[in-house]
Amino acid sequence: MKHAMMEFELKLEIPTHRLKAVEAAVRRGHSVQQRLQARYFDTHDAALAAQGVVVRLRKEGRQWLQTAKAPGLRPLERLEHNVVLSTRGAPVVDLARHLGTPVGKRIRQALKLKPSQPFPPLELVYETDVTRLTRVVSAGGTSVEIALDTGHIAAGKHSLPLSELELELKQGSQASAVELARSWCLAHGLWLSSISKSMKGQRLAQDQAFGAPVSARAPRYASGRDLAAAVVASCLNQILANASEVAGGCSGEEHIHQLRVGLRRLRTALREFGALTEDFDSAWDAPLALVFRELGLHRDRDYLLHTVQRQIEAAGGPALDWRDALADLPDVCATVRSPGFQEVLLGLIGFVHAAPAEGKAQELKKVKEAKAAKKIVRRRLRKLHQQVLSEGQTFLGLDEPAQHHLRKRLKRLHYVAEFSKDLFAKRQVEAFLSALKPMQDALGLYHDELAALQAWQQLCTHDPQAWFGVGWLSARRAANAQACQQACETFAQKAKPFWD
């Protein structure tokens, strides 16, 4: 027996001190407890995991199932195909069971197989042994299964405890599932995570504490609201992946950097594409801005200690003690787990997954929306471009706040152009972005070293050795500013508008 579906599931991580309360809440009403033992397989070179494909055998009571999963088009959405196996003993995994399904197609793509090529052998990579406590919540035509999973993951000699809450939509709207997740987060201090059991198992097998930082990917869309939803989904994919790692205890510079980039892209989308939909909530921006700002303090510290300080020491400057000056940074883990930020993430997921109306009238509406979207995006690009050119002409004459504002406006121009690749000629968009990069890099270096100069000046109040850094940074300021002016002029000459 075979079952194919599109799965929508929200996974919430549980603080250790809240586990008993969460279990008690799941047991309110009719709940069922079951032991699930699963084995996860991959090729010797982890080709399936590299493409986000998961293949497992799981024993549910006395029944064995083979399941394959692959990423869907939107955040937290996955293709899934289940095969109920008739064998009584432990079965052998067989990828051919998924032939003729969307997941089966993804498997062949992940393995780079031609139609006539056989599947390669698979190896056991890790196992899970989980006690699942489930309760189904139904209301207004929507049915959501709440599952509390506790147990462990094992890979060779390594083992990892597991406790998480999953909300899987069985029937109805994603918005209802999101609203239910919101109530659990607020009640128990849970936080959203995109790190699945399979990802945890893969990392355990490779002896890795965290996954790699996730960078931005371009969105794809068709109509006006589709454009807004696709852009937000693209931003969320980057944000959720990195926020899940940070909330789990990762403080890597690149994870924090990529999370900030995702948040900046998202805030640009909400600001510049608000005219495409009425569903953006103005209340989203304040929590996003707060998290962006607190993560920025960590980014600034890392830049000071790992870039500027090393450059100054290489120039003959002294090593400095920054502990007192940088002692009061916010806890990034707590920042990302904060209820306000989690509330916004769930609201954005609800927006992305809101189902549009169907039918011929809706298709005609989409065509009109697509034309209107292109007109709105063209207008935003033209305005941002003109402002950048105007301010860039007199960069050296601008005060520092105006110079910084130009840098932020340039970033918005970058992201809106990047978001619009499917609306205009892709090569022309990429050429424009390529011409924009030197100006963005020059302004970035100038601003970062100005911020560093202020930090070194403050440090001088209790450490006279910091004066060397003040002198070194001050000596670079004029040359950096002149480089910005030149980059602005070069951008004006080389960057060809692709929207006219």
Side-chain angles (χ1 to χ4, degrees):
M1 185 182 298
K2 300 184 178 184
H3 303 283
M5 67 186 79
M6 180 69 75
E7 178 188 61
F8 178 72
E9 182 178 88
L10 295 157
K11 193 175 77 64
L12 307 175
E13 293 288 349
I14 307 170
T16 303
H17 69 282
R18 296 295 303 174
L19 181 56
K20 289 185 178 179
V22 170
E23 180 178 349
V26 175
R27 290 187 182 277
R28 294 183 194 128
H30 178 67
S31 61
V32 177
Q33 185 167 300
Q34 186 179 28
R35 184 183 182 187
L36 304 175
Q37 298 168 281
R39 302 171 181 177
Y40 291 77
F41 300 84
D42 207 335
T43 59
H44 73 282
D45 58 352
L48 296 176
Q51 299 299 317
V53 177
V54 176
V55 176
R56 76 175 181 220
L57 291 173
R58 188 164 76 181
K59 187 179 182 183
E60 302 180 0
R62 296 182 178 180
Q63 181 69 65
W64 282 93
L65 283 83
Q66 180 171 308
T67 299
K69 297 185 180 185
L73 296 176
R74 297 180 291 184
L76 308 181
E77 188 176 74
R78 291 187 295 180
L79 296 169
E80 179 177 339
H81 182 239
N82 296 301
V83 182
V84 179
L85 306 178
S86 58
T87 180
R88 292 186 179 180
V92 176
V93 65
D94 184 359
L95 293 178
R97 293 182 177 125
H98 305 294
L99 288 173
T101 69
V103 176
K105 183 178 180 181
R106 293 286 188 90
I107 290 173
R108 297 196 73 88
Q109 290 173 344
L111 298 175
K112 299 179 180 179
L113 296 178
K114 296 179 180 178
S116 59
Q117 283 184 287
F119 291 112
L122 299 182
E123 300 174 356
L124 175 64
V125 183
Y126 52 93
E127 302 175 77
T128 61
D129 193 342
V130 170
T131 298
R132 170 166 288 182
L133 182 66
T134 61
R135 176 161 63 92
V136 176
V137 176
S138 299
T142 297
S143 179
V144 178
E145 181 184 77
I146 302 173
L148 171 62
D149 287 347
T150 55
H152 70 272
I153 304 172
K157 297 180 180 179
H158 302 290
S159 181
L160 180 71
L162 184 73
S163 61
E164 58 190 36
L165 192 73
E166 295 181 353
L167 282 72
E168 183 179 352
L169 182 65
K170 296 296 185 180
Q171 179 181 341
S173 70
Q174 287 95 339
S176 298
V178 169
E179 187 59 37
L180 184 61
R182 181 183 286 113
S183 67
W184 280 84
C185 286
L186 292 175
H188 300 288
L190 312 184
W191 66 93
L192 191 64
S193 176
S194 61
I195 307 171
S196 63
K197 293 182 185 68
S198 59
M199 294 168 71
K200 292 177 180 178
Q202 195 71 34
R203 294 174 191 178
L204 186 65
Q206 297 172 355
D207 198 21
Q208 296 177 344
F210 303 103
V214 174
S215 56
R217 293 183 179 178
R220 300 190 67 83
Y221 39 81
S223 69
R225 192 193 185 284
D226 284 346
L227 188 156
V231 167
V232 171
S234 170
C235 298
L236 274 179
N237 282 329
Q238 183 180 16
I239 291 169
L240 288 174
N242 294 294
S244 298
E245 304 292 356
V246 174
C250 176
S251 57
E253 292 179 39
E254 189 61 19
H255 288 87
I256 291 175
H257 170 65
Q258 290 297 338
L259 177 52
R260 291 186 75 244
V261 171
L263 290 171
R264 189 188 293 116
R265 293 174 75 239
L266 174 62
R267 295 181 69 204
T268 296
L270 296 178
R271 174 173 178 162
E272 301 297 336
F273 293 164
L276 298 176
T277 175
E278 297 178 353
D279 297 330
F280 284 168
D281 189 339
S282 59
W284 289 340
D285 189 61
L288 293 174
L290 176 62
V291 173
F292 181 81
R293 188 162 54 249
E294 292 192 356
L295 293 175
L297 296 175
H298 286 263
R299 185 268 177 192
D300 292 345
R301 178 203 61 184
D302 292 333
Y303 179 74
L304 292 178
L305 297 182
H306 300 156
T307 301
V308 181
Q309 178 63 43
R310 290 175 182 173
Q311 291 175 334
I312 290 174
E313 289 180 22
L320 302 176
D321 186 354
W322 287 90
R323 285 176 294 181
D324 292 337
L326 302 175
D328 297 327
L329 292 181
D331 180 349
V332 289
C333 179
T335 294
V336 174
R337 291 185 185 183
S338 65
F341 184 55
Q342 295 296 316
E343 174 91 4
V344 173
L345 292 182
L346 288 165
L348 290 162
I349 290 169
F351 165 75
V352 168
H353 288 274
E358 298 179 353
K360 290 185 178 180
Q362 180 63 20
E363 291 302 316
L364 290 173
K365 184 180 178 182
K366 280 189 175 185
V367 173
K368 293 180 180 178
E369 285 182 350
K371 293 180 179 178
K374 191 169 184 177
K375 187 178 295 185
I376 290 171
V377 173
R378 180 183 286 119
R379 188 162 60 241
R380 295 306 304 149
L381 286 165
R382 185 181 294 118
K383 182 176 180 180
L384 285 168
H385 183 237
Q386 290 172 347
Q387 290 172 331
V388 166
L389 291 181
S390 176
E391 294 171 8
Q393 286 178 347
T394 58
F395 179 85
L396 293 175
L398 300 176
D399 59 22
E400 287 182 15
Q403 290 173 339
H404 183 47
H405 187 72
L406 169 60
R407 182 194 181 198
K408 293 194 291 185
R409 201 189 300 278
L410 183 67
K411 286 181 179 179
R412 292 207 303 273
L413 176 60
H414 176 160
Y415 294 137
V416 175
E418 189 179 76
F419 292 150
S420 68
K421 279 187 180 180
D422 271 11
L423 291 176
F424 303 97
K426 187 175 180 179
R427 288 185 180 180
Q428 293 181 18
V429 177
E430 290 176 346
F432 181 85
L433 291 172
S434 179
L436 181 150
K437 189 177 186 303
M439 180 178 174
Q440 189 168 329
D441 290 344
L443 267 62
L445 177 63
Y446 177 72
H447 172 77
D448 286 343
E449 291 202 0
L450 277 182
L453 176 58
Q454 293 173 359
W456 255 261
Q457 288 170 335
Q458 291 174 1
L459 194 60
C460 284
T461 60
H462 62 272
D463 188 349
Q465 293 188 95
W467 281 110
F468 184 98
V470 171
W472 186 83
L473 288 163
S474 297
R476 292 168 57 87
R477 183 173 178 179
N480 286 341
Q482 188 60 52
C484 288
Q485 182 66 67
Q486 182 59 52
C488 292
E489 294 171 2
T490 301
F491 171 75
Q493 296 168 1
K494 293 187 175 182
K496 305 300 180 185
F498 55 85
W499 51 85
D500 292 329

